[in-house]
Amino acid sequence: MNADPKSYNKPDRNMLLESDVDSLAQAVVTLTQELWVLADRQLVTEAVLAKHGIDLAEEVDLHQPDEDLQAKLDDRSRAIMKRVFNSLAGISSDE
Amino acid sequence: MSEELHARLRQRGRASVDFLANMGFGMSDMRNSVEEEIKRIVPDPDALPDDLDQRDARMQQSLGASTAYRASQAVGEWMATHHGLTAKHAFEEVRDEIEPVLKKFEEGGSTVEASPDMEAPAYWDGVDFHRTAGGWEEHEYQGYIHADIVHTRLVAKSFPGGIWSQRLMVAGLAPKDHYDKIIDLGCSTGHFTRALQETYPDAEITGVDLSLKTIQQAQRLGNANGWSWKLYQRPAEDTGFEAESFDLAGSYILLHEIPAHTIKQLFKEAFRLLKPGGDMIMSDVTRYSDLDKLAVWRADAGAKYGGEPHWRESASLDLAEIAREAGFVDVTAQSYPPFNYPHVVQGRKPA
Ligand SMILES: C[S@@+](CC[C@H](N)C(=O)[O-])C[C@H]1O[C@@H](n2cnc3c(N)ncnc32)[C@H](O)[C@@H]1O
């Protein structure tokens, strides 16, 4: 038998090194952007759905936000960024 | 930008571009935290090293201990490497719709003369200015992507002072009310060319730029507005035009993209091109001499990480002196508040 089977519970494994954190940060921001694209899409979908009562993917794609929606989108994107960036920067946030 | 030329982005591209446009706001807490740190480590900017490399080494060493600084650098790096890609992807989503419009505006009174055999200068060739992926020439529609997406949707949203009004302001500074023939040096996609044309509606305008893709976009802008610009892919410091063929020679933020010796050549070329009594107006980024040591460090670091290899030597030059050496008289140099931007040098070729 393996002398220490419990060592398999948390195997020692070569994972990220300190020198990898820059790439990690790049990936995190990419992920933030991806997330934002989804969140944005959802909001636009809601706006379009509210108008028509049905899901129109093409309409969502072509939808050019009016001023009100754009302001809402801007606020939401900034809030998401702040949460991610602030945690990356070690800034505590009470959100 | 004419409405027809302004792409209606699809949701994915639009939201990705909006994300970038909002990043400055999203980074505000992080930036404020870095500012606090800078205040703490630099109580007196005058005490920073004179040598710019040493100054940067000192700042990097001190700020390197701040998580917020390192994180802001990492996010800044992402912006630098992703703005061009995001803009390109947004364009590709609408390419089928916008391409016929772009082709349509390649016809008209505005013309482009390409120089396929031109040997691109080493200070420009292969440099990804602004770290735009692939530089100015990589994509067939790079000029359009840069003008409509990067400039109009990103830079214009947050640029202090507003990128269009600053150009109009500078165009209006030229001393005469009327110019017959104007040359715009480093005209790129035609933002300043447009300001010149709107300010001097009857003027016949020639533009030169090393980048073919950008002047193709200037051509579309010209044609969409019914203007007849003559655009040439040529170096501004050696245009090949006849001496004494223009009444006004101008440039807008070209100088920080070229090295010092080329800037000197450029002023001489502008002098040669002007008719006696003709006017010169060149605008560029804030002079290092107008900034304190800390602000210079910020500008210099911005250039270093922002794909601006010639900024330091260019922003360190006394442009008025260079203008006088080239032969200009009544030379003035002024930096505009509140950011000392742009810095505008004017002069006249003696009659
Ligand atoms: C920042 S852009 C100029 C912007 C433009 N004047 C405007 O108002 O938006 C700089 C341009 O200068 C061009 N350039 C750089 N060196 C040049 C040179 N030696 N001769 C002509 N154009 C040059 C680049 O290709 C680029 O398009």
Side-chain angles (χ1 to χ4, degrees), chain A:
Chain A
M1 193 188 83
N2 189 305
D4 182 13
K6 281 208 206 70
S7 70
Y8 274 60
N9 295 347
K10 264 191 149 208
D12 199 11
R13 195 170 182 175
N14 266 336
M15 285 188 283
L16 292 182
L17 297 172
E18 218 174 296
S19 57
D20 296 319
V21 299
D22 287 345
S23 319
L24 179 68
Q26 305 302 301
V28 168
V29 187
T30 302
L31 187 65
T32 312
Q33 189 192 36
E34 280 303 323
L35 264 180
W36 165 245
V37 171
L38 284 178
D40 177 294
R41 190 172 185 92
Q42 217 173 327
L43 282 167
V44 175
T45 305
E46 282 165 12
V48 175
L49 275 177
K51 253 172 45 187
H52 297 276
I54 33 170
D55 184 350
L56 291 171
E58 181 66 2
E59 189 161 344
V60 171
D61 259 336
L62 296 176
H63 192 82
Q64 307 291 312
D66 62 18
E67 230 171 83
D68 284 351
L69 178 57
Q70 187 64 49
K72 195 165 149 194
L73 295 170
D74 288 344
D75 281 353
R76 289 281 287 270
S77 72
R78 292 169 191 182
I80 288 180
M81 280 186 241
K82 277 199 179 184
R83 289 180 60 194
V84 177
F85 296 168
N86 288 3
S87 62
L88 201 60
I91 297 168
S92 63
S93 158
D94 42 20
E95 269 188 276

Side-chain angles (χ1 to χ4, degrees), chain B residues 42-65:
Chain B
V42 188
D44 173 18
D46 286 345
L48 286 169
D50 287 329
D51 179 82
L52 289 178
D53 290 327
Q54 280 173 19
R55 195 180 307 171
D56 186 47
R58 169 87 58 87
M59 293 300 293
Q60 297 298 347
Q61 192 188 19
S62 307
L63 284 172

Side-chain angles (χ1 to χ4, degrees), chain B residues 79-293:
Chain B
M79 288 173 84
T81 49
H82 283 71
H83 74 276
L85 296 172
T86 297
K88 192 161 68 178
H89 292 156
F91 171 81
E92 291 298 348
E93 284 186 333
V94 296
R95 185 181 182 129
D96 288 349
E97 290 116 77
I98 199 76
E99 205 168 9
V101 181
L102 302 184
K103 293 268 180 243
K104 178 174 106 184
F105 289 126
E106 284 163 20
E107 308 295 325
S110 287
T111 56
V112 162
E113 187 198 278
S115 300
D117 299 330
M118 177 187 80
E119 201 181 315
Y123 62 78
W124 182 85
D125 197 26
V127 178
D128 290 350
F129 285 96
H130 307 173
R131 301 188 64 190
T132 299
W136 295 146
E137 298 301 88
E138 178 226 40
H139 191 284
E140 186 184 354
Y141 291 111
Q142 189 76 321
Y144 178 75
I145 293 170
H146 206 69
D148 186 63
I149 301 181
V150 176
H151 265 117
T152 307
R153 294 170 194 264
L154 292 178
V155 185
K157 284 251 166 83
S158 55
F159 200 81
I163 68 173
W164 318 112
S165 53
Q166 280 171 343
R167 284 170 173 78
L168 272 173
M169 184 277 285
V170 170
L173 290 173
K176 300 189 186 99
D177 293 335
H178 178 89
Y179 291 96
D180 285 335
K181 295 187 81 186
I182 300 179
I183 184 161
D184 182 5
L185 302 160
C187 63
S188 193
T189 56
H191 296 331
F192 186 51
T193 328
R194 173 194 201 134
L196 287 165
Q197 188 77 76
E198 287 176 347
T199 309
Y200 309 103
D202 303 329
E204 188 183 303
I205 301 188
T206 298
V208 294
D209 201 289
L210 290 170
S211 157
L212 178 61
K213 300 291 158 54
T214 64
I215 58 174
Q216 286 170 339
Q217 176 56 18
Q219 178 186 34
R220 296 181 198 111
L221 177 68
N223 285 332
N225 288 284
W227 295 317
S228 298
W229 295 342
K230 305 288 169 253
L231 305 156
Y232 296 82
Q233 182 189 18
R234 296 185 187 184
E237 67 275 22
D238 182 14
T239 62
F241 298 123
E242 262 181 51
E244 306 193 353
S245 42
F246 295 93
D247 302 287
L248 175 67
S251 73
Y252 195 91
I253 60 170
L254 159 70
L255 304 181
H256 70 280
E257 290 196 357
I258 56 184
H261 74 272
T262 311
I263 293 177
K264 292 178 184 166
Q265 286 175 347
L266 175 88
F267 275 85
K268 289 193 182 125
E269 176 68 355
F271 189 84
R272 188 185 72 82
L273 290 174
L274 284 170
K275 295 176 194 166
D279 295 313
M280 170 278 291
I281 182 160
M282 311 270 195
S283 5
D284 204 54
V285 300
T286 311
R287 301 293 89 191
Y288 279 6
S289 56
D290 281 339
L291 300 171
D292 73 19
K293 281 181 168 179

